[in-house]
Structures are given as structure tokens and as C-alpha cells.
Amino acid sequence: MRCPLSLGSLETHDHVARSLARETGLKVVSVGYRLAPEAAFPAGLDDCHAVVRWVAEEGESLAWDGITLAVAGDSSGGNFAAAVAARAHDEGFGAITHQILYYPSLDLDFDVDRYASLRENARGYGLETAGLKPFNAFYLDSGADPADPRVSPIKREDLSGLPPALVVTAEFDPLRDEGELYGRRLREAGAEATVSRYDGAGHGFVQHFSWIPEYHAVFAETRDFLRR
């Protein structure tokens, strides 16, 4: 799942999906879901959820082995992956085995300055704190309430029973602390969670592995997480 903004698309994240497939040996289904403002909340989430259901129900056509079904996304796509995993749990749909959240945007209440990383990494590292609200304006204005756990997964009160999570964060990312807090809250709720911070990295670094080779390590880490 890519970022549900104009900054991400099936095309911009194709190399990420292909690298995940090569490194993990698994099939990767990239979802081209509907975007706001043309499609109001929760259209995009509904699309992602429907695709996950389709994979589980029609997996034979994909030669799926029926064992590993992970949801994954980066940035706002990580938001969607976490929200889909939670919705599946609530509906009693137990096929999702893992959730992989790369520097996820999990708290869309941008009017509250509750994370130190929003201040420490506010400017100069690519994604800037002042841009978070404008970047998400179409989504929020379409009816996505930041207080709703479907919109801000970190606001979900009960995280127990959710699939094992790999939460990857970046040192110089305004969103770093909310991702790491989510990982801690998952563990406190009894869910398995691995939090991995990449020192020296900024938001969006997974996309940059082609020209910054050390970032390719995230795919090997994802592979190892999925095989545990």
C-alpha cells in the first residue's frame, strides 16, 4: 500500500514492491485504491480491505500457499496497513499473519504537538512537520476524523490480538516517535512487535535503496521478520 497522496502511486512504489518480492520470495499485490477528494473516506480503506479479502478467498489463482498474508505500507500507506489489520481483527478475519509498517503515519491529529520528533525533526530532513496537515488535507476534509482509530490507528484503545508487527522508523523523521510508541503499545497489549530505527535516515528512505545501497537492508529485515 503506497501513500494515499499525490506523492505516491503504483508507479512510484513499483521498485519497492518488486524488491520485497525478490527478497522475501513471496508474491506482492500492490493496491491502486481510490484517493480523496474524489473518493471520500473510507473509500480507500474499503478498497485495501477488499483486496486483502480477495487474496485470501481467491489465493489459488495467485498460487498463494495459504500460509503468509502480510499487509505492508510506508508512510500513509503504513497507516492504511495498520487500519486494515485492525479492521480484519474486529471482523473475525484471521488470515492476516503480519503487518509491516515503514515509518508509518499513525496519528493524524496534527493540531496537537505530542511527539518530540515533531519538534526535533521539524525542518531540514525532507518531510517537515509544517507540511503534515496540508499533505493530508484532502483526506481529512473528506470526512476522515483524526479521533477515529480507523484514521489514527494509534488511538485504538485495545491493541491486543493484532498480527505481529514490524515497525520501521527513521532517526530524522517527524513521524519517528508515533511509530515507536505504537510498537511499544502493541507489546504492552501482548502483541508481537519489532521496532527498528534506521539511524541517519529520513522519512521515505525505503524508496531510496536504489541509490543508497545500505537502505536495502530493510528488505532483508522484512524477509527475516516474515520467516520467524
Side-chain angles (χ1 to χ4, degrees):
M1 300 175 187
R2 86 278 191 211
C3 172
L5 308 171
S6 59
L7 300 178
S9 68
L10 293 176
E11 289 73 27
T12 62
H13 284 59
D14 182 70
H15 67 306
V16 175
R18 290 177 182 274
S19 292
L20 275 173
R22 282 195 298 268
E23 193 66 43
T24 64
L26 301 175
K27 295 184 180 295
V28 174
V29 178
S30 192
V31 185
Y33 49 82
R34 291 170 290 173
L35 306 177
E38 292 81 5
F41 170 84
L45 278 177
D46 288 344
D47 290 347
C48 293
H49 182 260
V51 169
V52 172
R53 287 272 192 170
W54 175 81
V55 168
E57 294 166 3
E58 306 293 335
E60 185 175 347
S61 64
L62 300 171
W64 177 47
D65 62 9
I67 297 174
T68 301
L69 179 57
V71 291
D74 79 319
S75 191
S76 294
N79 173 298
F80 271 34
V84 167
R87 175 175 171 179
H89 173 268
D90 292 346
E91 294 181 357
F93 175 70
I96 297 177
T97 59
H98 303 78
Q99 50 181 324
I100 300 162
L101 315 178
Y102 297 131
Y103 36 84
S105 174
L106 299 169
D107 189 345
L108 272 61
D109 186 0
F110 302 119
D111 291 328
V112 180
D113 180 10
R114 60 169 57 89
Y115 306 107
S117 59
L118 290 173
R119 299 183 295 276
E120 296 169 3
N121 301 322
R123 293 183 298 276
Y125 298 110
L127 178 67
E128 300 196 342
T129 298
L132 293 173
K133 191 170 185 177
F135 282 162
N136 289 273
F138 285 145
Y139 189 50
L140 298 177
D141 291 346
S142 78
D145 181 355
D148 186 336
R150 295 176 299 168
V151 176
S152 298
I154 203 166
K155 295 185 183 295
R156 182 180 173 92
E157 292 185 5
D158 183 5
L159 300 180
S160 62
L162 294 180
L166 172 63
V167 184
V168 172
T169 64
E171 179 182 10
F172 298 116
D173 181 2
L175 305 183
R176 181 195 68 209
D177 289 355
E178 61 197 76
E180 295 178 358
L181 174 60
Y182 192 66
R184 290 196 300 273
R185 288 196 58 224
L186 282 168
R187 288 196 294 263
E188 290 167 358
E192 179 186 341
T194 299
V195 178
S196 179
R197 180 191 293 189
Y198 278 66
D199 292 336
H203 189 81
F205 77 89
V206 169
Q207 301 175 61
H208 304 155
F209 71 90
S210 298
W211 56 94
I212 308 179
E214 56 265 36
Y215 290 163
H216 193 273
V218 75
F219 298 111
E221 183 174 18
T222 301
R223 175 202 63 210
D224 294 343
F225 168 72
L226 290 170
R227 292 180 179 176
R228 285 204 296 269

